[in-house]
Amino acid sequence: MLLVRPKTGKTTLYHEVLSLRGEIPLIVRCDKNKNCDTIWKQALEAIGFERLELKTVNKNFKNSSELELGSKLNWAWLADINARIKGSLGLEKGETEARRRVLADPGPDLLVPLLKTTNCVLVIEDFHYLDDMQKIFLFQQWKQFIDNEVSVVVLGTTHRAVDIANSNKDLVGRISQIDVGHWESKDLERISELGLNHLSVKSAKDLRIFIASEAAGLPIIVQQACLSTLTTEGVEYSDQIRKMKLTLRKDAVERSLHSVARSRYTQFESYYSTLIRGPRETSRKYKTYELVLACFTLDPIKFSLSRKDIDHRMNKLRLPVEEFPPAASLNSTLGALSKFQERRDIEILEWRPREEIFYIIEPAFLFYVRWRTKKETQPEQLDMFEILLKSIWNLPDNRSDLRLSADQKIKN
């Protein structure tokens, strides 16, 4: 089982490992509309017999001598091998009829002999999108694979690891879990360092770290931000840079991050607009959906926020007292989030009530939320009034009542 975050290189990883082992992936991608039958059928339909090779037949199979059916792998072979394992009569030998018969009654019993006797490996992607009941049904049937010592690769988001463990208690201790998290900041920073050094562009280390920290764990955003910064400086060719003796500045990088968010990830705008409106836009008293997303724009950057984190960050949003949503409104918003997204075919946010943690499951959306609007750089010189405000907003959490009181006085 491979637990990963989106866009962290999972496809490259398992393709590389299977290639080294001389194995062929049989890939099935899940979504909320899939059930066990459609998963098994999709797996069978994806079989490419021309790429497969027979392995040595395992003696644990009953009637194993009957499984040595020759080197030709096709639908008739699969139908015949399945019939022999079940101890029934062989099916029609014609390819078309054999395929029809196999796909008419899909199930793990058809895949087990295929995976057992060939160099094919079943890969289930996006397991976390399945309906909870389908996960349970799937793993109840999955026991056939384990009993026959057949390995399967399951890919899902890291924070849903508990779903796999809870789907079938018989699988506890029989699953190997590999967590693949986001790219670390030091690795992302190295991307910009190598690229900019190659182009003879001067850049301070803290600026490269800033780019890496805002990339939401995605290498492509680091590359896009660096490219955008150079092009906004009027650079089109590498030889221009050497003549200009270009040095990166933070204000230019911030403008570039905003430009990348608005140009490369503008598809998230419709999702964002839908989410902040909420299910009852006209009757809502508080902008709770918008405020919860706004919590992710505050530093430090986080992919998930606990219920306590949300309260803590909400206090930093400088809201007038009458606009501050009460706990009941926040709880209602988080509880309704799943069905609200499902009705609009959106799969970006997730509230896990048992853990009381709110997740952004699409890293690029986190980047978009943080950089969809321009950042205003704080001036170095503050007047007395600004210093007073700054001291108020930096009060400890246990003095939030004073902060809100100060806001009322200033407003009046």
Side-chain angles (χ1 to χ4, degrees):
M1 180 175 67
L2 191 64
L3 295 171
V4 298
R5 298 188 187 276
K7 297 180 179 66
T8 53
K10 66 180 185 300
T11 303
T12 302
L13 176 59
Y14 76 70
H15 273 288
E16 181 70 18
V17 172
L18 294 182
S19 177
L20 291 173
R21 293 167 54 91
E23 295 173 326
I24 305 296
L26 182 62
I27 302 170
V28 177
R29 291 182 173 85
C30 301
D31 59 51
K32 62 184 178 183
N33 298 317
K34 285 225 172 36
N35 56 37
C36 289
D37 288 341
T38 56
I39 287 173
W40 302 132
K41 185 174 182 179
Q42 184 178 336
L44 290 166
E45 289 176 332
I47 297 172
F49 287 104
E50 69 282 355
R51 299 184 300 158
L52 302 186
E53 297 177 0
L54 279 171
K55 295 190 295 188
T56 302
V57 177
N58 192 303
K59 294 181 180 179
N60 291 333
F61 268 114
K62 295 180 179 180
N63 303 321
S64 61
S65 61
E66 293 183 346
L67 299 182
E68 298 175 8
L69 303 174
S71 59
K72 187 174 182 179
L73 299 171
N74 51 31
W75 286 101
W77 172 86
L78 181 58
D80 201 4
I81 197 174
N82 185 61
R84 288 170 186 260
I85 290 173
K86 292 181 177 180
S88 58
L89 296 175
L91 301 177
E92 289 78 359
K93 294 183 179 179
E95 275 290 279
T96 302
E97 179 62 16
R99 184 178 189 276
R100 187 188 68 79
R101 289 289 189 97
V102 169
L103 297 180
D105 187 23
D109 53 333
L110 285 167
L111 283 168
V112 167
L114 175 78
L115 301 172
K116 187 79 174 181
T117 59
T118 71
N119 62 336
C120 186
V121 176
L122 181 62
V123 178
I124 304 291
E125 288 208 16
D126 300 327
F127 172 83
H128 53 280
Y129 287 139
L130 283 179
D131 177 78
D132 288 341
M133 286 305 300
Q134 292 304 317
K135 291 173 188 170
I136 295 174
F137 294 151
L138 186 66
F139 273 99
Q140 287 173 347
Q141 298 180 33
W142 216 295
K143 195 170 183 297
Q144 294 185 48
F145 292 86
I146 293 177
D147 290 343
N148 284 284
E149 299 179 355
V150 173
S151 297
V152 179
V153 179
V154 183
L155 297 99
T157 56
T158 306
H159 71 280
R160 300 301 296 268
V162 67
D163 291 343
I164 297 179
N166 290 337
S167 294
N168 190 338
K169 300 301 182 182
D170 291 338
L171 300 179
V172 175
R174 307 176 77 177
I175 296 175
S176 297
Q177 179 174 321
I178 303 173
D179 291 340
V180 181
H182 295 288
W183 281 55
E184 293 185 6
S185 181
K186 63 180 181 180
D187 296 321
L188 294 171
E189 190 260 329
R190 184 70 172 150
I191 293 174
S192 58
E193 179 184 13
L194 290 173
L196 295 172
N197 285 349
H198 175 73
L199 296 172
S200 300
V201 176
K202 294 181 180 180
S203 60
K205 183 177 179 61
D206 60 345
L207 190 55
R208 297 195 302 270
I209 292 175
F210 171 69
I211 297 173
S213 66
E214 290 296 338
L218 300 177
I220 190 172
I221 292 181
V222 174
Q223 297 167 328
Q224 290 167 341
C226 292
L227 175 61
S228 177
T229 304
L230 297 179
T231 54
T232 54
E233 294 287 344
V235 175
E236 295 182 4
Y237 304 99
S238 58
D239 57 346
Q240 288 180 280
I241 299 175
R242 295 180 178 89
K243 294 177 182 178
M244 296 169 62
K245 297 182 179 180
L246 189 62
T247 301
L248 258 60
R249 304 184 314 276
K250 187 172 183 179
D251 61 333
V253 170
E254 289 179 343
R255 288 196 301 270
S256 295
L257 288 168
H258 169 66
S259 175
V260 169
R262 299 300 300 183
S263 61
R264 302 275 187 158
Y265 300 94
T266 186
Q267 65 268 30
F268 288 127
E269 176 60 30
S270 61
Y271 292 159
Y272 179 83
S273 299
T274 300
L275 288 169
I276 64 173
R277 285 197 300 269
R280 298 184 301 276
E281 180 183 7
T282 55
S283 61
R284 284 190 299 119
K285 182 177 180 180
Y286 305 100
K287 298 179 180 179
T288 316
Y289 282 81
E290 185 174 1
L291 293 174
V292 170
L293 281 179
C295 288
F296 282 97
T297 67
L298 303 180
D299 295 328
I301 184 170
K302 282 190 173 184
F303 295 89
S304 63
L305 297 174
S306 68
R307 184 64 176 80
K308 185 177 180 180
D309 289 335
I310 293 174
D311 290 337
H312 177 71
R313 293 192 173 202
M314 198 76 74
N315 284 329
K316 292 185 175 181
L317 293 178
R318 305 186 182 188
L319 297 172
V321 176
E322 66 273 12
E323 293 182 12
F324 200 97
S329 178
L330 275 170
N331 293 335
S332 175
T333 293
L334 295 171
L337 186 62
S338 177
K339 290 185 178 179
F340 174 57
Q341 288 187 108
E342 185 177 343
R343 289 194 298 268
R344 289 154 180 80
D345 198 27
I346 299 175
E347 295 175 325
I348 289 181
L349 309 172
E350 183 173 12
W351 167 247
R352 303 280 287 174
R354 290 185 180 179
E355 306 164 34
E356 290 198 332
I357 297 179
F358 184 55
Y359 294 90
I360 285 186
I361 57 179
E362 172 53 67
F365 183 67
L366 175 60
F367 169 74
Y368 177 79
V369 167
R370 289 179 63 83
W371 287 98
R372 58 181 298 275
T373 58
K374 291 183 179 180
K375 306 284 185 183
E376 296 296 336
T377 303
Q378 180 69 38
E380 292 183 3
Q381 298 296 327
L382 301 176
D383 62 27
M384 186 61 68
F385 182 69
E386 288 174 318
I387 293 173
L388 175 62
L389 284 180
K390 187 176 178 64
S391 65
I392 292 174
W393 299 127
N394 287 332
L395 287 173
D397 289 342
N398 59 5
R399 300 182 66 187
S400 59
D401 54 337
L402 179 57
R403 181 188 301 114
L404 295 175
S405 176
D407 184 77
Q408 281 186 306
K409 291 178 182 179
I410 294 169
K411 188 175 179 181
N412 294 331

